[in-house]
Structures are given as C-alpha cells and as structure tokens.
C-alpha cells in the first residue's frame, strides 16, 4: 500500500500508525484475529470482503509485523494468521474505538458502567450466546497465567466487574457517581458466600476485571475470596469477546456482566445489563443448574 503521510508527518506517531492500520478493512481484520479467527476463509466469511482486498490487507499486516503467517497444511499449502506482540498492542486501540462508538454513536455521550435492556450494546453482548471463547491466558492475582475457562468442571461462571479495591480511598474520583460502577465488593462477596452452591452444581467461579494483579490480590485477601480473580489489563479477553467498557481514571474497565460457559468454551448464558447484583448471582446459579 502506498504511503500516505507527508514529509512533515515523519515524526508524528499518529500519522505513521495510520499508514499501517488506517484502512477500514485492516482494523476489522485485527479485530477478528483477536476474536480467534485465523484462516483466510474465516476472515472472508466474517467480513464479506473480496479475496483480492483481503489478500492485500493480510500481506500488509504481515509485512508490518502485526500478523504472523504460519502454515497449518502442506498439500495444498494453507496458512493461518495470528497476532504478534505488536498486533496485540493494538487491542487497546480497538477497545477505545468500541467504547467511543458505544458512548457517542450508539449512546448519549455519558460515562456509564451499564446500559439499557433494549440498547444495541446489550444486543451485541447477548449475541455472545453460542460463541466460543478463544484460547487465551490471563494472570491471576499472583501473576500465574490461567485459562479463564475451567477444564476440570462442566461449567465456568465468569463474572466481569469494573473494579474492586481493598481500601475505599483507592477507588477513582467520582466512582460512586458513575451509573452501574458501584457494587463490585457486594458482587464478589455474594459469589464467595454462595461458592459451595456453585461447586455443587458443577461450576467454577472466576472474577475478571482490567485491574492489575496486585490490586486484585489486595482486594481478594481483604475479602477472603476463595476463587481466582483474573486480570485482563492487556484487554485480550475484552477484545476477543467485544465486551462493553467505559473509561475511568485513564483505565478501560469492563461493564458489569456475567457469562456462563461450558467446558467446550461455548457461552451458554449471558446476564447483561446487571441492575440487581444479588439477583444476577442467583440467575447465574440457576443458569448453571438448568444447563446441567
């Protein structure tokens, strides 16, 4: 692809980055690679783009070091395309674009940690039913990498929350005034108190936020949580599932939602938006029992 930047843009990182990812199809390819699509036919089926355009964009992204091209079949030769570390560095860009679209294009331009039942954002999240979570690893509160989907139980309850802290003064300024942000401690403690019931029903409970592992560790120890909290600070899971976010204190935070997954990584139930935290935990337990 021909360079579009001017000589005066040589020291402008925005202009230089747009030379690589400033095309409509290019960013959508990165989006779908983050969602677990890797093969030419998968990209074409999802995007509806011509084979010629898709081949050009994949070639550009490989040359730019955003994707790597790896053979998966010898006769005839076929390749898969996977995000490199440089490519995964674009995930916060995708999440920020989605957040901007949810807030300013689909929404009313207000910071919120929730949405309305009939919103297009809620429709997108509920569209996760039947989708598979791509294989990825997230650090737990001790820094150990874990699969967010448990392999040793039939089901995983993955509850995503904006942020929970051990100390009240650790919350971002104005946190209590953000609709839907409050309640993370109540949610985690409700899962803690009902953990035996989830275990008896065949489910593992995982909490996920975009907080750092050390922040999660301090909170888990303060509240005596007996299940893992996983850090999606790099936004890998958020980008893979296109989870809704909002920004507070310069950090992208997942809006409160709950997914019930089976051992095959398929989303069986979605609870979103969540307006009654205790009722959402009851609904998650009921979904596990119904699926079992």
């Amino acid at each position: 692809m021909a360079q579009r930047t001017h000589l005066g843009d040589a020291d402008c990182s925005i202009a230089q980055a747009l030379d690589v990812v400033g095309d409509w199809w290019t960013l959508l390819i990165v989006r779908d690679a983050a969602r677990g699509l890797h093969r030419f036919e998968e990209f074409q089926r999802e995007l509806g783009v011509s084979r010629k355009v898709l081949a050009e964009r994949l070639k550009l992204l490989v040359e730019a070091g955003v994707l790597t091209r790896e053979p998966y079949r010898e006769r005839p030769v076929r390749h898969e395309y996977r995000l490199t570390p440089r490519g995964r560095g674009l995930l916060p860009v995708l999440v920020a674009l989605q957040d901007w679209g949810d807030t300013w294009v689909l929404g009313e331009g207000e910071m919120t940690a929730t949405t309305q039942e009939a919103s297009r954002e809620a429709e997108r999240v509920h569209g996760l039913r039947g989708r598979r979570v791509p294989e990825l690893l997230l650090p737990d509160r001790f820094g150990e990498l874990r699969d967010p989907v448990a392999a040793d139980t039939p089901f995983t309850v993955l509850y995503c929350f904006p942020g929970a802290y051990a100390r009240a003064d650790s919350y971002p300024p104005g946190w209590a005034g953000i609709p839907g942000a409050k309640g993370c401690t109540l949610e985690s403690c409700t899962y803690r108190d009902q953990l035996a019931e989830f275990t008896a029903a065949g489910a593992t409970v995982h909490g996920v936020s975009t907080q750092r592992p050390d922040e999660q560790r301090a909170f888990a120890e303060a509240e005596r949580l007996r299940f893992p909290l996983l850090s999606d600070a790099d936004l890998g899971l958020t980008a893979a599932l296109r989870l809704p976010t909002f920004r507070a204190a310069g950090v992208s935070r997942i809006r409160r939602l709950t997914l019930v997954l089976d051992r095959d990584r398929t989303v069986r139930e979605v609870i979103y938006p969540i307006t009654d935290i205790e009722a959402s935990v009851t609904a998650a337990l009921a979904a596990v029992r119904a699926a079992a």
Side-chain angles (χ1 to χ4, degrees), residues 99-111:
D99 185 26
W100 184 84
D102 285 341
T103 302
W104 293 99
V105 179
L106 303 182
E108 302 298 326
E110 298 177 354
M111 182 190 295

Side-chain angles (χ1 to χ4, degrees), residues 221-248:
E221 291 173 353
E223 301 299 338
R224 303 186 305 280
L225 301 186
R226 294 170 289 130
F227 53 81
L229 296 183
L230 306 179
S231 172
D232 193 31
D234 291 337
L235 302 176
L237 179 68
T238 301
L241 299 182
R242 296 181 60 205
L243 301 179
T245 62
F246 69 102
R247 286 187 68 80

Side-chain angles (χ1 to χ4, degrees), residues 187-283:
E187 185 174 28
S188 293
C189 291
T190 304
Y191 275 107
R192 176 199 65 194
D193 296 343
Q194 297 187 32
L195 185 60
E197 296 176 67
F198 281 94
T199 301
T204 295
V205 173
H206 288 162
V208 179
S209 75
T210 58
Q211 295 172 267
R212 302 190 312 267
D214 62 296
E215 294 174 327
Q216 293 181 335
R217 182 171 64 251
F219 171 72
E221 291 173 353
E223 301 299 338
R224 303 186 305 280
L225 301 186
R226 294 170 289 130
F227 53 81
L229 296 183
L230 306 179
S231 172
D232 193 31
D234 291 337
L235 302 176
L237 179 68
T238 301
L241 299 182
R242 296 181 60 205
L243 301 179
T245 62
F246 69 102
R247 286 187 68 80
V251 177
S252 292
R253 302 173 187 273
I254 308 173
R255 300 189 184 191
R256 193 182 318 282
L257 62 94
T258 301
L259 305 176
V260 177
L261 314 169
D262 63 24
R263 188 183 281 134
D264 293 329
R265 317 184 71 82
T266 300
V267 179
R268 301 289 292 271
E269 185 58 271
V270 177
I271 303 172
Y272 183 73
I274 293 175
T275 54
D276 185 326
I277 289 173
E278 293 174 305
S280 75
V281 177
T282 300

Side-chain angles (χ1 to χ4, degrees), residues 6-244:
H6 300 293
L7 184 60
D9 292 328
D11 59 351
C12 176
S13 297
I14 296 174
Q16 296 300 320
L18 287 174
D19 264 334
V20 178
V21 295
D23 173 84
W24 164 280
W25 295 116
T26 302
L27 275 178
L28 292 181
I29 290 169
V30 174
R31 178 201 67 181
D32 287 344
R35 294 171 57 203
L37 278 61
H38 302 300
R39 299 181 179 180
F40 189 98
E41 292 76 13
E42 293 174 332
F43 288 120
Q44 187 179 33
R45 183 169 58 250
E46 184 70 19
L47 297 172
V49 62
S50 73
R51 296 182 67 86
K52 180 178 183 294
V53 170
L54 179 57
E56 290 174 348
R57 299 311 188 273
L58 288 172
K59 183 175 183 291
L60 168 69
L61 289 171
V62 171
E63 290 175 348
V66 173
L67 294 176
T68 182
R69 187 169 180 259
E70 304 171 358
Y72 70 89
R73 193 170 70 187
E74 293 184 359
R75 297 182 181 178
V77 177
R78 293 289 185 270
H79 294 87
E80 290 185 334
Y81 298 87
R82 296 181 179 271
L83 289 173
T84 64
R86 176 179 288 190
R88 288 192 292 274
L90 284 167
L91 299 187
V93 177
L94 293 178
V95 171
L97 279 172
Q98 177 178 281
D99 185 26
W100 184 84
D102 285 341
T103 302
W104 293 99
V105 179
L106 303 182
E108 302 298 326
E110 298 177 354
M111 182 190 295
T112 176
T114 186
T115 190
Q116 301 299 316
E117 288 275 1
S119 69
R120 292 169 67 182
E121 177 190 294
E123 182 180 352
R124 182 185 78 232
V125 176
H126 281 279
L128 290 171
R129 285 193 187 94
R131 286 185 175 268
R132 296 187 74 252
V133 176
E135 295 184 5
L136 48 81
L137 298 173
L138 302 178
D140 64 15
R141 61 181 185 261
F142 302 107
E144 179 181 346
L145 293 178
R146 287 175 176 259
D147 191 331
V149 182
D152 54 354
T153 56
F155 301 100
T156 301
V157 174
L158 199 64
Y159 77 94
C160 303
F161 60 97
Y165 298 86
R167 295 168 39 186
D169 59 2
S170 297
Y171 284 89
W175 186 261
I178 302 173
K182 289 180 60 177
C184 300
T185 298
L186 172 62
E187 185 174 28
S188 293
C189 291
T190 304
Y191 275 107
R192 176 199 65 194
D193 296 343
Q194 297 187 32
L195 185 60
E197 296 176 67
F198 281 94
T199 301
T204 295
V205 173
H206 288 162
V208 179
S209 75
T210 58
Q211 295 172 267
R212 302 190 312 267
D214 62 296
E215 294 174 327
Q216 293 181 335
R217 182 171 64 251
F219 171 72
E221 291 173 353
E223 301 299 338
R224 303 186 305 280
L225 301 186
R226 294 170 289 130
F227 53 81
L229 296 183
L230 306 179
S231 172
D232 193 31
D234 291 337
L235 302 176
L237 179 68
T238 301
L241 299 182
R242 296 181 60 205
L243 301 179

